[in-house]
Amino acid sequence: MIAASVLLTSSGLAAAACQGTNIEFEEKFSPPDPSWGANSDVAYAKDGKAYLKAAPNGVASWVNPAFVFDNVFACATFKVPELKEAAAGTGGMIFWYESADKYYMTAIKGDGRVGIWRYLSGRWNPVFPLAANAAVKTTPGDENTIEVALHGNTGTLFLNGTKITDFRGQPPKGGSAVGIYAESELSQSNIWEFSDVRVATFQ
C-alpha cells in the first residue's frame, strides 16, 4: 500500500551519502526545530530521534513547511524496524512538497525494493516503479540513507551512496519543503526511527 496522510535496477555508480558541503538545513531531532510542530501519536521526536508510528495498514508522515529549498541534495537516514510482512513495511522521504495533496515521495520496502512516487489529488503515480536493488538494507536495525539530488525539474535518487536512477518531475515553483514518511504492515503497527534529515545546496 502507498497512501497519503501528511501531518499539517542499480547502475553501479556510487556517490557519498548526503552530498553537498553547503548545508542549508540539518535536523538531528535533539531537540527538533519547533517548526516541525507538536508531537502526535503517529509522528514524534524523543532523545534525538524522530519516530513515525502508523496504525496497521496505515501511513504516517511529518513535513517541515517552514524551510523551503530549490536545487539541493536532500537526504534522510532511518532504521529498518522488525517486520512480519516485509513487502508492506515502507520507510522514506518526502520531497518537492507543495501541499498535503501534492508532493513526491521516495522509499524502500522491507523486502529490498525501492521506488519513487508522486501523490496528486488522492492518487499515487509511480515515477520509478518499485524495483529490487542490492543497495537496500533490510535487516532490522540496519540504517538506510536515502537521497535525492534535485536540479530544476530533474532528479537523481541515491541509496546508501549507490545511484539508483535519474528521473524528472514537476517541482513547485519557488522551492519546496521536505519530510519523512512511513507505512505499517497489515497486521501490526511498525515504528520507523529517523536520526537525520539534511538538505545541502549544489556547489
Side-chain angles (χ1 to χ4, degrees):
M1 179 196 68
I2 297 291
S5 175
V6 178
L7 294 179
L8 3 129
T9 356
S10 173
S11 68
L13 300 176
C18 291
Q19 301 173 76
T21 56
N22 185 17
I23 300 173
E24 293 287 313
F25 174 80
E26 185 164 24
E27 181 62 83
K28 291 186 175 292
F29 304 103
S30 56
D33 190 273
S35 56
W36 287 90
N39 286 346
S40 71
D41 291 339
V42 298
Y44 56 94
K46 181 181 178 182
D47 300 328
K49 311 288 183 183
Y51 298 91
L52 295 183
K53 183 182 179 181
N57 197 30
V59 307
S61 52
W62 211 2
V63 175
N64 188 328
F67 292 87
V68 176
F69 310 99
D70 196 12
N71 297 334
V72 294
F73 300 101
C75 62
T77 300
F78 53 93
K79 284 186 178 181
V80 179
E82 293 281 352
L83 296 167
K84 293 180 180 178
E85 306 157 38
T90 306
M93 178 176 62
I94 288 171
F95 64 99
W96 280 344
Y97 177 89
E98 186 169 349
S99 70
D101 205 36
K102 192 175 184 180
Y103 60 90
Y104 288 74
M105 188 271 289
T106 179
I108 66 157
K109 291 283 190 177
D111 62 359
R113 295 177 294 163
V114 60
I116 307 170
W117 300 264
R118 187 186 191 191
Y119 185 73
L120 180 63
S121 301
R123 293 185 56 186
W124 286 104
N125 303 288
V127 176
F128 176 67
L130 278 168
N133 195 287
V136 182
K137 298 179 183 179
T138 59
T139 303
D142 279 352
E143 279 196 341
N144 286 281
T145 297
I146 200 163
E147 177 180 18
V148 286
L150 307 172
H151 193 272
N153 70 341
T154 65
T156 302
L157 172 64
F158 298 90
L159 182 66
N160 299 320
T162 297
K163 181 181 175 181
I164 306 299
T165 189
D166 295 313
F167 62 93
R168 290 185 295 175
Q170 293 179 302
K173 294 180 180 179
S176 57
V178 298
I180 53 179
Y181 182 95
E183 295 179 7
S184 287
E185 55 196 310
L186 298 176
S187 62
Q188 67 175 2
S189 225
N190 305 126
I191 301 177
W192 289 78
E193 176 188 301
F194 293 77
S195 58
D196 186 57
V197 177
R198 173 177 160 173
V199 178
T201 58
F202 286 84
Q203 300 301 318

